Amino acid sequence: MRLSQYLVPTLREVPAEAEIISHQLLLRAGFIRKAASGVYTYLPLAQRVLARIKAIVQEEMDRAGGQEILLPIIQPAELWLESGRWNVYGPELFRLKDRHGRDFCLGPTHEEIITDLVKGDLRSYKQLPLLLYQIQNKYRDERRPRFGLMRGREFIMKDLYSFDRDEAGLDVSYRKMYDAYTRIFERCGLEFRPVEADSGPIGGSVSHEFMVLADSGEGTVVYCPDAGCRYAANIEKAVGKPIFSGTDEEPSPREEVITPGMKTVEQVTAFLGVGADRLVKTLLYETPDGVVAALVRGDREVNEIKLQNVTGVERLELADAEIIRRVTQAPVGFTGPVGLDVETMVVDEEVANMVNCITGANRADAHYRNVNPGRDFRPDIVADIRVVDEGQVCARCGASLKSRRGIEVGQVFKLGTKYSKSLNLTYLDEQGGEQLVVMGCYGIGVSRTMAAAVEQNYDTDGIIWPASIAPFKVVVVPVNTKDQVQTELAEKVYRDLWAAGIDTMLDDRTERPGVKFKDADLVGYPVRVTVGKKAADGEVEVLRRRTREMHVVPVANLAEAVREVLAEG
Ligand code: 9G3
């Protein structure tokens, strides 16, 4: 490809709306343009990167026994009504009507439609297992599209669905996908971690996420630094060893203490001269099933996902001051479990084992000392509902946990029979008996993976593509376009590299060398071949973008020298 004819509209300025590096650099380097909020056009360079990522994904899906199909983007409402999800998802589901007034949606994911597809053609156990996948645009009307390709309203996903006879079969399919994902992200040159994840409201039990480690990530990976342990989980799921405070004491009689204007944990602990681990925070949540109280230690936070899972409520939202006053007869900051009248009281396991703790007294400017669970209040549910983060203790090995930010690029789920049940997908077993199909689903954010690769591979001058997914492996830059020796050698080098099977861009523009070098750095070609003064001796410079290592190479050895640099990634 010749850059003079290729659409690479690089920008000098950092676009103001771009908050994170990948968004800034993909705009600046001429890979993407915004069409609407959360909706982007992929320009030729981006399309080439996506093609490379897709090719890796396809190879690994096919190797694992997957078969590629293409499902419709437009999906009839009936299937979503049958699965019960038409009314679960609100404005996030892009809905539309056809000319007859029939309801449809733009696919945010494809469990319903693929379950219906397989139902139409599956008869016997002999046809299982079945692994079907596609790579396609998905649509989700996010409340706040942001971070460029990270959280778009239209994005590219690879989604695979597995169909098995039983749980044992699902275990095999799940393992195949887990291993394939590991290979895919390795081949894309990314530093990532597979972590245990919450399977969320889509049902099912087991789930892992593949997180690309990057400070801009919206997610948090909690992991055990012990090399033999290797526990790693998404912070939404992470469990830690519970630490029980005060358990060496005898329960003392409860007493009220006056705490004028002391509403926060910091204020109360400072005023009473105790550690936050002796305090209990009581948070109230509004849910469709009534008010839920959640109790955690003063130095912990409530994990709302765990809380939602143990209560089984469809939604929960922190109660406002008005609800707090109605339930506790007190202003915000003095809520406590003693005499509290709520639908469900959920107590973290650490709190359930505390002795002589401090809680709000449900009275303005008052707390209780020496509150004892079981004696002074009765939990409805005792469970792990706290956020486990860095500094807490690994439940498996006792080491101190660490955490890092990460970008979720893939997720695998064991679905079980949730969709086969609601959409009635069955097969006939050896005895002719009708059985529910056991399903799994497995997603990779393809466009997000491209952005995540940038988050992990850049410097002050621009992008540094991992060689395996680079749009072009090499850019050839003639330094002086008025020098016929240089331009002719650049043409020859360009032809030779293509002949050697190396995707190459020729910067044949009549720009100053500084402009061309800046653009080469910005776009992030892994290798730059500079054709300058040494052209007369048949020599060129080979520059490795990542390290700026430079070698002078005779053109006869160029393809080999380039291959060596590319092999370094
Ligand atoms: C919706 C809307 C948004 C959604 C979903 C449904 C997320 C939804 C979860 C998944 C799970 C898996 C297949 C590949 C692997 C991941 N956001 N999810 O189901 F209607 Cl509006 O998509 N799907």
Side-chain angles (χ1 to χ4, degrees), residues 508-526:
D508 59 341
R509 298 173 302 165
T510 53
E511 294 281 357
R512 286 178 291 111
V515 170
K516 295 202 260 192
F517 292 161
K518 268 205 156 47
D519 276 356
D521 284 348
L522 184 57
V523 166
Y525 310 92

Side-chain angles (χ1 to χ4, degrees), residues 24-42:
Q24 294 169 4
L25 287 177
L26 290 170
L27 285 167
R28 269 190 66 207
F31 283 69
I32 60 169
R33 286 293 179 263
K34 184 166 111 176
S37 167
V39 180
Y40 289 86
T41 297
Y42 305 107

Side-chain angles (χ1 to χ4, degrees), residues 80 85 89 92-93 108-111 139-140 157-161 202 411 413 419 441-443:
W80 286 78
R85 296 210 295 175
Y89 287 92
E92 196 182 345
L93 192 59
T109 176
H110 284 70
E111 281 82 3
Y139 297 84
R140 293 178 187 174
M157 188 197 270
K158 183 287 300 178
D159 44 328
L160 183 144
Y161 304 86
I202 71 158
Q411 188 164 16
F413 293 91
Y419 292 93
C441 69
Y442 316 83

Side-chain angles (χ1 to χ4, degrees), residues 176-244:
K176 280 186 182 159
M177 283 302 121
Y178 184 101
D179 292 344
Y181 277 35
T182 302
R183 294 176 61 99
I184 287 166
F185 296 118
E186 270 169 10
R187 286 183 62 186
C188 288
L190 299 170
E191 194 195 352
F192 69 96
R193 296 281 181 279
V195 303
E196 292 178 16
D198 183 71
S199 51
I202 71 158
S205 47
V206 177
S207 176
H208 288 85
E209 282 173 356
F210 288 75
M211 307 282 283
V212 166
L213 301 175
D215 292 336
S216 63
E218 290 186 88
T220 301
V221 177
V222 177
Y223 66 96
C224 179
D226 185 278
C229 178
R230 300 181 65 92
Y231 174 71
N234 185 312
I235 195 165
E236 295 169 353
K237 166 88 177 178
V239 296
K241 197 175 138 147
I243 308 290
F244 306 127

Side-chain angles (χ1 to χ4, degrees), residues 149-161:
L149 300 186
M150 290 294 180
R151 189 163 295 283
R153 297 196 295 171
E154 178 182 74
F155 58 97
I156 305 171
M157 188 197 270
K158 183 287 300 178
D159 44 328
L160 183 144
Y161 304 86

